[in-house]
Amino acid sequence: MIIVDKIQEVSPKILVVGDIMLDRFIFGNVHRISPEAPVPVVRSVKEKYSLGGCGNVLRNLINLGVQASIISFVGSDQAGKKIIEDLKQKGILTRHIVVSKSIRTVEKMRIVAEGQQLVRVDWDSSNLSDQNINQIQEQILQEIKNVDGVIVSDYNKGVCTELVLKDIITKSKKLKIPIFIDPKGKEWSKYFGASVITPNLKEAEEALGRSLKNNIDIEEAGINICNNLSLNACLITKGSNGMSYISKDLKFHVCSEAKEIYDVSGAGDTVIASFASAILSGFDAEASTRFANKAAGIVVGHIGTTAITISELKN
């Protein structure tokens, strides 16, 4: 695939800013129902740990051949140590990871049996202190001048405050660096002035306060989002219905290329990583969108949060 080869050749430098977390998966089998409650008893077969949240964006970028760096936070606990170890194993510098004794590392545990996720258990962080936020801002100031683009991966866990986002967008604009936003929640004013936003359909509907029933609705919504937030473009993902790219001068829709959908966990991470990598490697919006659509169609065929690989794209 030409795009994959070009990304590897150019190897753009992309900074990821957002909420990193530890994804823990317990895989097992179900043979009976618990006598204690009407729930399945899962016999554990194996466990897997991986980088989640903005860490999954980072995993996708690394697999695509991008020079990736990350700014985030962890607690000084076991989950935080696992994240730091994993980053080091992947050759990622951890000097921009803020470690705090006052917060808990975000962790998500998913129990999967017979190919289906049965339950998810979350451990969220407490609010970041002003000191933590100041540390993150200092890391951004140091690193942003060394990159070609920034991905903001907002999981609403504390990093992507209005103050931090204003800092990133202001500095990026001065340096003429594109900013790609994966949003969270209904309040998007903090993303004002970024380059591209990549919500899924539900997120776009919640932010606008209305349902989007067809592509005409989606195009109107995309234009409203771009105008209200002073963005260049909006890329709305639609699950099994593909995705839509909307800007002032260009609107188009692509159908999903997923053969089977087992798990959509992390698909948005793959979309923003693939799209940004292609754009920063010199491809236009349509080619980059089709590339992101192809990548997303592959990862939803896996169980659990999975990053795209070069071999999968080439095959």
Side-chain angles (χ1 to χ4, degrees), residues 1 4 64 291 294-295 298 308-315:
M1 184 182 287
V4 171
L64 288 168
F291 176 65
K294 171 77 75 174
I298 293 169
I308 194 64
T309 64
I310 291 291
S311 59
E312 286 178 310
L313 282 166
K314 287 190 173 181
N315 288 338

Side-chain angles (χ1 to χ4, degrees), residues 105-231:
T105 302
V106 180
E107 184 177 357
K108 294 181 179 180
M109 180 180 72
R110 298 171 176 90
I111 299 177
V112 181
E114 315 302 336
Q116 294 207 358
Q117 186 181 141
L118 300 184
V119 68
R120 193 180 89 184
V121 182
D122 288 8
W123 291 269
D124 282 345
S125 66
S126 52
N127 291 332
L128 292 178
S129 66
D130 290 342
Q131 183 183 0
N132 295 148
I133 295 296
N134 289 339
Q135 288 175 293
I136 288 168
Q137 288 176 292
E138 287 171 11
Q139 301 301 334
I140 291 167
L141 186 64
Q142 290 177 31
E143 184 63 13
I144 203 166
K145 56 193 175 187
N146 301 319
V147 300
D148 302 309
V150 178
I151 292 176
V152 173
S153 179
D154 189 353
Y155 275 81
N156 197 29
K157 303 299 181 185
V159 170
C160 300
T161 65
E162 187 170 350
L163 194 61
V164 169
L165 266 293
K166 185 177 180 181
D167 243 18
I168 293 171
I169 293 169
T170 301
K171 290 179 174 64
S172 295
K173 282 195 162 186
K174 283 182 181 177
L175 296 167
K176 297 183 179 178
I177 295 171
I179 316 142
F180 306 86
I181 306 279
D182 190 357
K184 183 66 72 175
K186 299 178 183 179
E187 183 49 61
W188 288 4
S189 60
K190 62 183 177 180
Y191 307 130
F192 187 90
S195 305
V196 181
I197 197 168
T198 63
N200 61 39
L201 184 61
K202 183 181 177 183
E203 289 168 337
E205 289 177 330
E206 289 179 348
L208 292 167
R210 65 177 188 268
S211 62
L212 306 175
K213 297 179 180 178
N214 52 49
N215 286 340
I216 293 175
D217 287 349
I218 289 171
E219 287 181 10
E220 290 176 354
I223 290 298
N224 284 342
I225 290 168
C226 289
N227 288 341
N228 292 341
L229 299 178
S230 189
L231 306 173

